[in-house]
Amino acid sequence: MNRRERLRESTLEEIKTIAGQQMAEQGTAAISLNAIARQMGMTTPALYRYFSSRDELITALIVDAYNAQASALETADASFSLPDDYAGRLLSVLLVYRRWALENPVAFSLIYGSPIPGYHAPAERTAPAARRNFAVILGILNAAYQAGVLRPTERYFQLPPALLDRPDAQQLLSDGLPVPVLYLGLVGWSRIHGLIMLELFHHLDTLVGDLKTFYKGEVLELLAANGLVPPDRNS
Amino acid sequence: MNRRERLRESTLEEIKTIAGQQMAEQGTAAISLNAIARQMGMTTPALYRYFSSRDELITALIVDAYNAQASALETADASFSLPDDYAGRLLSVLLVYRRWALENPVAFSLIYGSPIPGYHAPAERTAPAARRNFAVILGILNAAYQAGVLRPTERYFQLPPALLDRPDAQQLLSDGLPVPVLYLGLVGWSRIHGLIMLELFHHLDTLVGDLKTFYKGEVLELLAANGLVPPDRNS
DNA sequence: TGTACATCAGTGAACGCGCGTTCACTGATGTAC
DNA sequence: TGTACATCAGTGAACGCGCGTTCACTGATGTAC
């Protein structure tokens, strides 16, 4: 790698870092090439050496955000010491899911919040990174299911078939994922998502004091309802 | 009411309607006094007769959105024919909650989506309207509880006291709302919220086909887990 | 019922500002012989 | 090792555009007597 190539790489990272800082202050919709260039001590046209347009930059930021979140989840799972304690692994990963959202509120709302006006994400670029996240959760659920530890409630076996008739779901099922596991994964994902969104956008501030405990309670409840109980309940 | 006053009233409504249309096309962050005036065939300064600033307009739109949503919920509940069928009432109200969100995606994300950059909502203006929504759900839950039909699971009685130590929660409790009912309300709200947010921002498009059934399943599951079952399960 | 005055919705010009994007250019870095 | 050339990051000026807000004003509507 050249000196020139190394410089290019680090400038590219700097652009995205500063874009992130500015979104943190002004919101995701406020991404501005001029403002980024100004803070970097460059002129705006120079940024066009790195991104062919503002939309290109946004797409890169979104893909980065998905990947950063997925890496956080994967790291949390990989560093969990008891691979057979599926409940513990899920709880650990889902707590990291929430923590990552709270520590990276901008990246999180870039992904899951209101879309940026005038910007349309090219699905072929963002979708693969998006799937990585859900895959982590589904992976642990499925491992627990195969091990016979996860025993989904009756309802997860009795779902209307029209529910999972979309391409990504079909792909997962044809890759061998059992229906109740996918169904349970969707339910779990939507539940934690709701709590995090409400917390992140301050709709629970005046109602609930200890949001981490509240969140943890919801996760443990869902796991327990499907047969998954951590070996040591003190954790 | 004067001719002048009537005109003023209708112009004020028109401003907010057009602001809504433009947000529908461009996103909530794209509210622009110039664009609104242009579409109305007026000059921009004329809008300052109605709102002292852009932020004032946004605040008005937010308060309107909260109130519109609350009215939709209240109407749905009031028009439900069997007041003693608490499960039916809750299901009906919560289906309207989702439907209102899908039919008014802009108003919904104005309230619950990412905040508008540079705008800070004055809590004293928006909070009362916000509380109205949650009150509808809590009202039915409490009625069902008082009637002895809603029997919350054990866990809703055993929550850490730090969970509800915030002003709004304290207010509700001191107004006589039982702890398990409030706790259950919060759990229910967060669950439906998560599904709606994911659906609204298109994160479930490639996974779940029939989202209404999925949503309904989650609601009925929560109700049934706490003793509330509609008299006629065909509904 | 008619007149004098007050109210106030809306105008038009101007303010200073920031935006994304294009273009021809300079000058340092890297490559081939 | 030295020279000629190619690459390409970054500049500076310019493009046309939209933004929120202020100000002195016009002219229709409403009110008091």
Side-chain angles (χ1 to χ4, degrees), chain A:
Chain A
M1 190 135 112
N2 270 345
R3 170 176 158 72
R4 202 184 246 170
E5 278 167 329
R6 265 182 289 117
L7 264 175
R8 185 180 173 82
E9 202 72 11
S10 88
T11 306
L12 209 139
E13 281 311 309
E14 195 189 348
I15 293 173
K16 295 196 283 192
T17 304
I18 291 187
Q21 288 170 12
Q22 296 192 345
M23 286 191 293
E25 288 157 20
Q26 302 272 4
T28 55
I31 292 183
S32 147
L33 297 184
N34 281 318
I36 293 168
R38 205 179 309 127
Q39 186 170 339
M40 291 181 71
M42 291 170 68
T43 57
T44 315
L47 296 180
Y48 282 77
R49 292 271 160 205
Y50 298 89
F51 298 98
S52 68
S53 70
R54 178 173 176 266
D55 278 18
E56 274 293 313
L57 170 58
I58 296 175
T59 302
L61 290 169
I62 289 176
V63 171
D64 275 17
Y66 274 123
N67 281 325
Q69 189 193 24
S71 297
L73 300 186
E74 285 164 5
T75 304
D77 190 37
S79 69
F80 194 79
S81 45
L82 306 165
D84 290 346
D85 173 11
Y86 299 101
R89 281 171 64 187
L90 277 165
L91 180 60
S92 147
V93 165
L94 296 182
L95 282 172
V96 166
Y97 192 101
R98 170 175 171 274
R99 186 145 52 86
W100 189 86
L102 297 181
E103 285 172 359
N104 304 275
V106 175
F108 192 83
S109 47
L110 193 59
I111 299 176
Y112 295 114
S114 327
I116 294 177
Y119 168 79
H120 288 289
E124 71 279 6
R125 306 255 321 263
T126 57
R131 276 190 287 263
R132 246 186 91 194
N133 280 285
F134 196 29
V136 178
I137 297 170
L138 288 178
I140 309 177
L141 279 178
N142 196 26
Y145 184 74
Q146 302 302 338
V149 187
L150 174 73
R151 289 180 299 275
T153 311
E154 216 186 277
R155 72 181 278 242
Y156 296 111
F157 291 89
Q158 300 170 335
L159 85 171
L163 231 59
L164 302 179
D165 66 350
R166 289 299 161 94
D168 282 5
Q170 287 301 309
Q171 181 65 50
L172 287 164
L173 296 177
S174 76
D175 286 350
L177 191 73
V179 167
V181 175
L182 176 51
Y183 193 8
L184 184 59
L186 286 166
V187 166
W189 184 34
S190 76
R191 289 196 191 171
I192 64 173
H193 192 75
L195 269 174
I196 291 171
M197 289 296 251
L198 286 174
E199 176 175 7
L200 201 58
F201 296 151
H202 302 107
H203 295 288
L204 296 175
D205 284 357
T206 59
L207 284 162
V208 181
D210 184 349
L211 280 159
K212 185 180 174 185
T213 299
F214 192 93
Y215 178 87
K216 207 169 159 183
E218 272 291 273
V219 171
L220 287 173
E221 150 81 6
L222 181 63
L223 297 183
N226 295 281
L228 267 185
V229 181
D232 173 26
R233 288 302 297 265
N234 301 335
S235 77

Side-chain angles (χ1 to χ4, degrees), chain B residues 81-157:
Chain B
S81 46
L82 306 164
D84 290 345
D85 173 10
Y86 299 101
R89 282 171 65 187
L90 277 166
L91 180 60
S92 147
V93 164
L94 296 182
L95 282 172
V96 166
Y97 191 102
R98 171 175 171 275
R99 186 145 52 85
W100 189 87
L102 297 181
E103 285 172 0
N104 304 275
V106 174
F108 192 83
S109 46
L110 193 59
I111 300 176
Y112 295 114
S114 327
I116 295 177
Y119 169 80
H120 288 287
E124 71 279 8
R125 307 255 320 263
T126 58
R131 277 190 286 263
R132 245 186 91 193
N133 280 285
F134 196 29
V136 178
I137 297 170
L138 288 179
I140 310 176
L141 279 178
N142 196 26
Y145 183 73
Q146 301 302 337
V149 187
L150 175 72
R151 290 181 299 276
T153 312
E154 217 187 277
R155 71 181 278 242
Y156 297 111
F157 290 89

